[in-house]
Amino acid sequence: MLTLADLGVLRGIHQDDEGTIVVAITPTYSGCPAMATMRADLQSRLARAGFDRVEVRTVLSPPWSTDWISEQGKRKLAEHGISPPRPAQHRAGGPVPLTLTPAPRVICCPLCGSTDTERTSEFGATACKSLHRCRSCGEPFDHVKEI
Ligand SMILES: [Zn+2]
């Protein structure tokens, strides 16, 4: 449902002097198992479109953030019952304060819009999502965690 552009994974694409299509992508989470699939999909789709010389480059800096998910991507997530990430809290560097308890977060139910929700698990079907339940409509839902 989301394109690589929606996800903010697609950083750039150009054709070099030898005619090779060079695609730059930034991984979402380190160790995200979907990256190999994304890379293979890019190569097969471009090959189908007639571009047989394709190079997919991984760009690690700056690191990907959920802030790179487009507004259209966030809307598609919500339309599919997944709570989109809120703006991530970025630090300008320096020490990273650690806490033993998670910061309280208000997560809206993507199904009814209620803020009366609770987290049932820090990890959902994938490591990048947490599991929540809406106390208003009773439905469970995933939330894409902010990074
Ligand atoms: Zn609800």
Side-chain angles (χ1 to χ4, degrees):
M1 65 177 156
L2 292 184
T3 66
L4 294 179
D6 287 336
L7 267 179
V9 163
L10 189 62
R11 303 308 300 159
I13 185 165
H14 72 276
Q15 193 164 24
D16 71 10
D17 296 338
E18 285 88 47
T20 301
I21 301 294
V22 180
V23 184
I25 58 173
T26 297
T28 52
Y29 294 76
S30 60
C32 174
M35 288 310 294
T37 304
M38 292 178 190
R39 182 181 293 271
D41 282 353
L42 275 169
Q43 285 176 321
S44 69
R45 288 293 188 90
L46 285 167
R48 237 183 291 157
F51 301 101
D52 51 352
R53 290 200 319 218
V54 175
E55 182 185 328
V56 180
R57 290 184 186 159
T58 302
V59 179
L60 298 177
S61 182
W64 182 84
S65 162
T66 45
D67 288 347
W68 291 6
I69 299 176
S70 69
E71 288 308 311
Q72 176 177 276
K74 290 175 184 166
R75 194 177 61 247
K76 286 182 189 174
L77 284 170
E79 286 169 3
H80 288 80
I82 298 172
S83 164
R86 295 153 303 155
Q89 294 185 342
H90 292 287
R91 301 184 51 76
V96 176
L98 299 175
T99 57
L100 296 176
T101 54
R105 302 180 288 185
V106 175
I107 306 289
C108 291
C109 172
L111 306 162
C112 75
S114 171
T115 56
D116 188 13
T117 64
E118 63 180 344
R119 188 182 66 220
T120 54
S121 173
E122 187 59 43
F123 297 97
T126 57
C128 58
K129 290 181 284 186
S130 50
L131 278 178
H132 299 258
R133 189 180 72 86
C134 176
R135 292 191 191 101
S136 294
C137 70
E139 292 293 325
F141 63 91
D142 282 329
H143 170 71
V144 177
K145 292 185 264 188
E146 297 79 13
I147 63 165

